[in-house]
Amino acid sequence: MDLRQIQYFIALFEDGSVTRAAKRLNIVQPALSMQIGRLEEELRQQLFERSPQGMTPTAAGRLMYRLFLPIMRDISHAREQLVQRAEMITGHVSIGVIASVTESVMSESLSRFATLYPQVEVTVADGYSATLIDGVSGGQLDAAIINKPRARLSLDTQHLLDEEMVLVTSARHGPELPASIELAKLPGLELVLPTKRHGLRGVLDTHAQHEDMLLSPRFEIDSLSTIVKFVESTRFATILPRIAVQRGVQDGSLRAHPILAPRIVRHITRISHPRRPLSNAAEALMGIIAEEIHRVANPPALKFGQSA
């Protein structure tokens, strides 16, 4: 088994077709098929089921992919760091970001990064914190930005921001509410919240349990942008981080009311694998995202409890 065979295997696994994988690798199809055959012979296991529809990984193939993908990413990163010049950062970065950060800062972050590092390719995945933790642990992601879970992580973590969550209503339907809210004395509002799979819901439910109360939203939606649009046009309320609703507050379509008892705080954390140091490109991108998170979370003239 050599690195070339592993590279061929990974391309075929991801593309599911000898034709597409060979094109991606810039080789002829017989050469790819021959190397995969030799690899199966050496391992004495079938890695793919062949069919007219394509190549379907076997259980052994799926296991090999999980085991070797992190190794190949480590080799790629090591090569990038050895050959790149200080003045020209190159390579590929793959990161994961929770939706509230994606929707609030990623477009600005990527715009800045593209200007500063035009030779770097970037892949951004969004998803639940648990999914992103698995991605970093398994080597599919270089790093991720998540809501810090209650369980202890075996990954390297870097605290980025403690952020208050606020009660949010439309600008038309919020003036009758007090400037600040007690969670245990929520007015008779119908709530729309993320589902229990979402990291933000875990934060909310934990604080609610401490107050001996149960949050019973009428609607549960994981898309934060959909929640915000829904609240803007109805009498429903939600509880979300400030950065997720800042634009609506600033443009006058939303009102955000601080929750003072108890103060609900979510912790935004950067994670990476302790045995896979980040490349210069990945460090640069994560640094820019962290700067944008702090900029958006601390606007100079944002007044909560009223529309801007």
Side-chain angles (χ1 to χ4, degrees):
M1 182 187 303
D2 59 34
L3 292 178
R4 181 181 59 177
Q5 289 177 321
I6 299 172
Q7 181 185 18
Y8 289 2
F9 164 80
I10 289 175
L12 184 55
F13 184 98
E14 293 178 346
D15 290 335
S17 161
V18 173
T19 302
R20 290 194 296 269
K23 184 176 180 180
R24 167 178 166 182
L25 295 165
N26 196 29
I27 61 173
V28 296
Q29 295 180 38
L32 174 59
S33 298
M34 181 180 66
Q35 290 299 331
I36 295 300
R38 288 179 177 176
L39 189 58
E40 290 180 321
E41 183 178 348
E42 178 181 348
L43 296 174
R44 298 180 182 178
Q45 298 189 72
Q46 185 175 353
L47 300 175
F48 296 95
E49 296 282 354
R50 280 78 168 168
S51 73
Q53 289 72 40
M55 305 285 279
T56 303
T58 63
R62 291 192 295 272
L63 176 60
M64 180 172 173
Y65 182 77
R66 290 197 302 271
L67 292 174
F68 279 90
L69 182 63
I71 296 172
M72 295 304 290
R73 290 182 64 86
D74 289 346
I75 292 172
S76 177
H77 287 166
R79 183 187 297 116
E80 289 171 8
Q81 293 186 59
L82 286 172
V83 303
Q84 70 186 13
R85 296 173 298 168
E87 68 272 18
M88 180 61 71
I89 293 180
T90 62
H92 182 272
V93 177
S94 181
I95 65 169
V97 186
I98 49 176
S100 57
V101 173
T102 301
E103 295 172 7
S104 57
V105 308
M106 280 310 298
S107 60
E108 292 84 354
S109 298
L110 292 175
S111 178
R112 285 180 56 192
F113 186 82
T115 300
L116 294 171
Y117 306 102
Q119 301 299 318
V120 179
E121 298 177 349
V122 177
T123 300
V124 180
D126 65 6
Y128 302 121
S129 294
T131 303
L132 301 181
I133 290 170
D134 289 343
V136 173
S137 299
Q140 291 87 3
L141 300 174
D142 300 321
I145 293 176
I146 64 169
N147 292 308
K148 182 181 179 181
R150 284 175 289 180
R152 184 180 179 86
L153 295 176
S154 60
L155 301 170
D156 285 342
T157 62
Q158 178 180 327
H159 172 263
L160 296 182
L161 182 72
D162 292 333
E163 183 187 24
E164 287 185 316
M165 298 179 68
V166 291
L167 180 73
V168 185
T169 64
S170 71
R172 288 179 295 167
H173 300 128
E176 70 275 11
L177 296 177
S180 59
I181 304 294
E182 292 184 37
L183 190 62
K185 298 179 182 178
L186 276 179
L189 297 172
E190 290 190 294
L191 292 175
V192 51
L193 297 176
T195 72
K196 290 185 177 293
R197 296 172 298 177
H198 202 290
L200 292 178
R201 182 64 180 275
V203 175
L204 291 173
D205 286 345
T206 297
H207 284 81
Q209 290 170 7
H210 289 163
E211 297 295 308
D212 290 327
M213 65 176 295
L214 177 67
L215 292 174
S216 301
R218 183 174 169 190
F219 290 101
E220 294 180 313
I221 306 170
D222 276 342
S223 169
L224 300 190
S225 60
T226 300
I227 291 177
V228 169
K229 290 178 181 178
F230 183 65
V231 169
E232 285 177 350
S233 59
T234 67
R235 298 188 68 87
F236 279 78
T238 189
I239 303 174
L240 291 177
R242 291 189 177 192
I243 62 173
V245 300
Q246 175 180 306
R247 290 176 182 169
V249 173
Q250 288 181 319
D251 66 25
S253 61
L254 295 174
R255 289 178 179 267
H257 307 263
I259 300 173
L260 299 184
R263 181 170 170 260
I264 302 177
V265 178
R266 64 100 171 243
H267 308 285
I268 301 178
T269 301
R270 185 187 102 172
I271 58 172
S272 58
H273 201 286
R275 294 195 301 274
R276 302 187 191 106
L278 294 185
S279 66
N280 292 341
E283 284 285 6
L285 177 56
M286 299 303 282
I288 288 174
I289 295 172
E291 291 174 4
E292 288 295 320
I293 289 173
H294 283 277
R295 181 186 64 80
V296 172
N298 298 283
L302 182 60
K303 296 181 179 179
F304 285 87
Q306 63 183 42
S307 58

